[in-house]
Amino acid sequence: MKIKEIRIVVCNPGRNFVTVKVITDAGIYGLGDATVNGREMAVVAYLEEHVVPCLIGRDPQNIEDIWQYLYKGAYWRRGPITMAAIAGIDMALWDIKGKIAGLPVYQLLGGKSRKSVGLYAHAGGLTIEDTLSKAKGVLDQGFKAVRLQSAVPGLETTYGVVGDKKDYYELQGNRPLPPEEQWSTQKYLQMVEELFFEARKQLGTNVSLLHDVHSRLTPIESAKLGKMLEPYNLMFLEDSSIAENQQNYQVIRQHTTTPLAIGETYNSIWDCKELIQNQLIDYIRAAATHAGGITAMRRIADFAAIYNVRTAPHGAPDLSPICFAAHIHLDTWAPNFGIQEFVGLGNEQIQSVFDQDIKVTNGVAFVSDKPGLGVDFDEEKAKAYPYKRSYLPVSRLEDGTVWNW
Ligand code: KDG
Ligand code: MG
């Protein structure tokens, strides 16, 4: 079998998605997600100019060799653009292999470790009361885990709180340039303690609570927050600090027993190697699209298992339904799976472009049993939603200093 053609399609059914379609001479095709939020066209150029020409005529069944060829063979290893390009191809090759074998991808990985995949939903409000009322709505739908985010009084915008904005572009102020947001650690810390105090009071102790700091704190501030939140028994505290320097997490770990999660921006096992082998984190949140595909995620999960670190793949709306399908297969297989982030199966346009075969009920997802990934992409429908330039916001401290968004 040979790769005959590879098509890269960018569409925007509410969000930009970069979809890779690998077509074989046997008439079978596979799909992959190569979306890097706010940098989509860089991945398209990398794929079209530097990857696709090298793969035409190769056997799509040699997934490992193609992965190594694109990773080691390029000399320039890692980085979000390179690894998203590799990921898009890799997912498509696993999809093809499943279709050839007549088996879903989780079976190729080793079969089911569980019947269903536990999900955590989001609740983000303009006030603590608003957040908790949204959380109650989520629990009423059957979810047993919820991420709580609430607006910080005194700051114009807060990560994780959409308010009355309807879509992502409205949230960005429909500007063709990155919106700017403010940050104050002092104001945030006051809000967050009250949020979790109220949450445990109103939601009880049976629900798993999570929170994403989105890398805004220094390690010692994270340590302080982790300690402060211990009475509220979080499932995990996500991205409390940046870990470009992985030793940062030693500082946090020395001070708190609040479980720690990180990894949604990671591009390879090397970004989390020290965090995992020194047991500085409890959950690794790498995503198939950004960490190099299913081949790389499988390796990260196996490595993490040795150190009691569980997987909690990133599930934001800027990852396409193809990535979500890949995650549900990985989550179903991984013996050390923890929890999957879930923000819904997408709006009507997304669901018209991507045909998904995942059942979500009572806070859990059931993997597709179709051969391959079990997701399809309608290129004709996608044409109705062309690419629109989009940026993530930039964060500044109140004195104007650029900070981590
Ligand atoms: O593109 C950035 C988003 O994916 C990110 O802000 C979402 O932090 C996020 C999360 O935990 O879902
Ligand atoms: Mg996050």
Side-chain angles (χ1 to χ4, degrees):
M1 188 179 289
K2 285 191 167 59
I3 297 176
K4 195 174 81 179
E5 189 190 350
I6 301 178
R7 303 174 56 74
I8 315 299
V9 183
V10 189
C11 65
N12 187 321
R15 312 288 302 233
N16 286 318
F17 294 123
V18 179
T19 300
V20 177
K21 186 169 183 177
V22 177
I23 303 163
T24 68
D25 61 358
I28 297 171
Y29 63 86
L31 297 168
D33 176 32
T35 310
V36 176
N37 196 5
R39 294 292 184 272
E40 297 86 359
M41 301 314 280
V43 193
V44 174
Y46 191 100
L47 279 163
E48 285 182 343
E49 185 62 23
H50 307 296
V51 172
V52 172
C54 308
L55 299 186
I56 303 302
R58 282 179 196 273
D59 185 344
Q61 296 173 101
N62 296 334
I63 302 178
E64 189 66 52
D65 182 67
I66 289 179
W67 196 97
Q68 300 293 341
Y69 179 87
L70 294 175
Y71 183 78
K72 294 182 181 159
Y75 182 62
W76 309 107
R77 298 182 188 202
R78 302 159 64 181
I81 306 304
T82 301
M83 298 312 288
I86 294 178
I89 299 289
D90 182 79
M91 280 182 227
L93 298 185
W94 279 92
D95 194 18
I96 289 172
K97 195 176 272 302
K99 287 174 180 169
I100 296 170
L103 291 170
V105 166
Y106 76 82
Q107 290 289 15
L108 305 181
L109 290 167
K112 282 188 184 179
S113 290
R114 57 195 55 77
K115 288 184 229 143
S116 62
V117 169
L119 307 168
Y120 72 88
H122 286 193
L126 291 171
T127 61
I128 289 173
E129 278 315 304
D130 183 20
T131 301
L132 295 182
S133 115
K134 289 193 165 98
K136 285 171 197 162
V138 158
L139 299 179
D140 286 347
Q141 289 168 43
F143 286 91
K144 288 158 196 72
V146 58
R147 187 189 88 161
L148 304 179
Q149 306 292 134
S150 199
V152 177
L155 298 183
E156 270 173 37
T157 47
T158 304
Y159 165 76
V161 181
V162 189
D164 57 0
K165 306 285 190 303
K166 276 174 208 64
D167 75 17
Y168 188 63
Y169 286 89
E170 205 185 329
L171 185 66
Q172 293 184 56
N174 288 311
R175 282 176 292 191
L177 293 171
E180 298 210 352
E181 295 185 351
Q182 270 183 336
W183 179 252
S184 157
T185 294
Q186 207 187 348
K187 289 176 180 160
Y188 162 76
L189 287 178
Q190 276 169 24
M191 178 283 292
V192 82
E193 182 168 28
E194 200 189 326
L195 171 65
F196 282 92
F197 174 80
E198 280 301 322
R200 277 297 174 213
K201 212 166 83 180
Q202 296 189 31
L203 306 177
T205 49
N206 276 341
V207 49
S208 295
L209 300 179
L210 307 93
H211 180 66
D212 188 353
V213 185
H214 223 270
S215 309
R216 306 290 205 278
L217 302 179
T218 65
I220 199 67
E221 289 165 352
S222 286
K224 186 176 169 179
L225 175 62
K227 220 168 161 176
M228 197 165 93
L229 294 178
E230 276 171 23
Y232 311 115
N233 193 24
L234 266 63
M235 181 172 189
F236 63 62
L237 183 62
E238 177 191 342
D239 284 353
S240 59
S241 291
I242 284 280
E244 277 162 328
N245 175 3
Q246 297 184 35
Q247 282 171 352
N248 280 351
Y249 271 61
Q250 256 160 24
V251 177
I252 309 171
R253 201 61 151 176
Q254 274 163 13
H255 294 282
T256 180
T257 56
T258 291
L260 303 171
I262 196 167
E264 67 183 39
T265 62
Y266 288 175
N267 312 130
S268 77
I269 197 164
W270 303 104
D271 296 329
C272 48
K273 178 178 164 284
E274 287 166 44
L275 291 170
I276 291 173
Q277 76 183 13
N278 295 320
Q279 295 184 291
L280 300 178
I281 56 169
D282 301 281
Y283 294 88
I284 179 68
R285 293 201 10 90
T289 300
H290 300 133
I294 294 170
T295 299
M297 289 286 276
R298 181 179 59 167
R299 210 153 273 149
I300 292 172
D302 273 339
F303 179 63
I306 302 171
Y307 298 98
N308 301 307
V309 174
R310 292 195 274 171
T311 61
H314 189 203
D318 48 272
L319 295 157
S320 94
I322 301 170
C323 176
F324 188 65
H327 284 172
I328 298 300
H329 285 281
L330 284 156
D331 300 341
T332 299
W333 153 73
N336 55 329
F337 166 70
I339 196 160
Q340 171 66 54
E341 184 180 21
F342 179 65
V343 292
L345 294 172
N347 64 22
E348 252 177 56
Q349 295 102 290
I350 292 175
Q351 297 202 34
S352 73
V353 172
F354 296 92
D355 184 11
Q356 304 175 70
D357 185 45
I358 294 167
K359 306 272 170 303
V360 175
T361 165
N362 270 327
V364 298
F366 293 91
V367 73
S368 168
D369 262 314
K370 288 185 180 169
L373 289 172
V375 57
D376 213 346
F377 175 67
D378 189 326
E379 267 189 82
E380 277 312 304
K381 287 198 182 128
K383 283 184 186 150
Y385 308 109
Y387 166 76
K388 280 202 273 180
R389 179 149 36 107
S390 145
Y391 287 100
L392 283 164
V394 170
S395 183
R396 290 186 189 272
L397 301 180
E398 287 171 295
D399 71 358
T401 309
V402 172
W403 197 238
N404 312 323
W405 183 74

